[in-house]
Amino acid sequence: MVIKRTKVPSVWLLTVFLVAGALAAANCGSVEPSPTAPSPTVPSPTPAPTPAPAPAPAPAPAPAPAPAPAPAPTPTPAPSGGGTLQVTISPNPVPWSSNPIPNCSQPNTWTYTQILDNVGGAEITLSDRTDYMDGAVLSSRSGLGIVIPAGSKTSLTTRFCSANPIEHHTRTDFTGTDSRNNRINFRGPDVTLSKK
């Protein structure tokens, strides 16, 4: 058998040579060791603990409702209609006293104020007054001429005297007319005269 020489291109030879050299180098070792564990690294600092979340803020109170505007004052209506009398006694009950009263020699006395208020819409003229004590007529007077304009007041000081220092009950009734010629007949409030 005769062996014939074949021509192999030099590029092929160079390629084979380089591959063979690379294989030999891979089997013999390498410059850098191949690690079997993760590469050591510089330890990182321990992380700071994560701060707890801030507590939820307390809910803000609901704003106070704005105050409603004060209602406009209702104007006092002008009195209407005829004259209307109202009487208030001060004080009631009336305390006992020993203060002397003109034209009375009795030792037991009582003094109080009657406030006469015309709450109607016409002027009143009171002409007569009748005083009662313990249910009986004590005195009557005419021609008084007490004039009270509409919406106005006047006051009268009233005095009683008695020989007895016991509790008594009095009343004063008034009559008259208003400026519209309406008749006024007013029964006064009951008044208690306190015992000594």
Side-chain angles (χ1 to χ4, degrees):
M1 179 167 179
V2 179
I3 300 180
K4 268 190 179 181
R5 221 176 201 198
T6 348
K7 257 186 166 179
V8 179
S10 57
V11 172
W12 278 100
L13 280 178
L14 183 59
T15 303
V16 170
F17 177 75
L18 285 175
V19 168
L23 285 173
N27 287 332
C28 293
S30 65
V31 177
E32 301 228 355
S34 67
T36 57
S39 301
T41 58
V42 177
S44 61
T46 308
T50 306
T74 305
T76 305
S80 61
T84 304
L85 182 64
Q86 288 182 355
V87 177
T88 306
I89 307 299
S90 179
N92 189 10
V94 182
W96 173 89
S97 173
S98 61
N99 294 335
I101 292 177
N103 303 319
C104 180
S105 60
Q106 303 300 327
N108 304 294
T109 60
W110 297 266
T111 302
Y112 59 91
T113 302
Q114 296 189 71
I115 302 162
L116 286 61
D117 188 1
N118 181 357
V119 295
E123 182 179 85
I124 292 175
T125 301
L126 299 176
S127 56
D128 302 297
R129 167 184 178 163
T130 304
D131 294 307
Y132 297 84
M133 186 172 201
D134 297 329
V137 174
L138 186 63
S139 66
S140 291
R141 288 180 233 158
S142 300
L144 298 175
I146 299 171
V147 177
I148 308 170
S152 297
K153 301 179 186 186
T154 192
S155 62
L156 301 174
T157 299
T158 305
R159 296 179 178 95
F160 283 93
C161 63
S162 172
N164 300 316
I166 62 172
E167 182 177 285
H168 296 283
H169 297 274
T170 65
R171 183 183 92 229
T172 303
D173 294 348
F174 295 96
T175 58
T177 57
D178 70 11
S179 58
R180 296 179 183 161
N181 291 320
N182 296 310
R183 184 81 178 144
I184 304 291
N185 291 310
F186 181 80
R187 184 181 197 270
D190 291 323
V191 180
T192 301
L193 305 180
S194 299
K195 67 181 180 178
K196 181 176 178 181

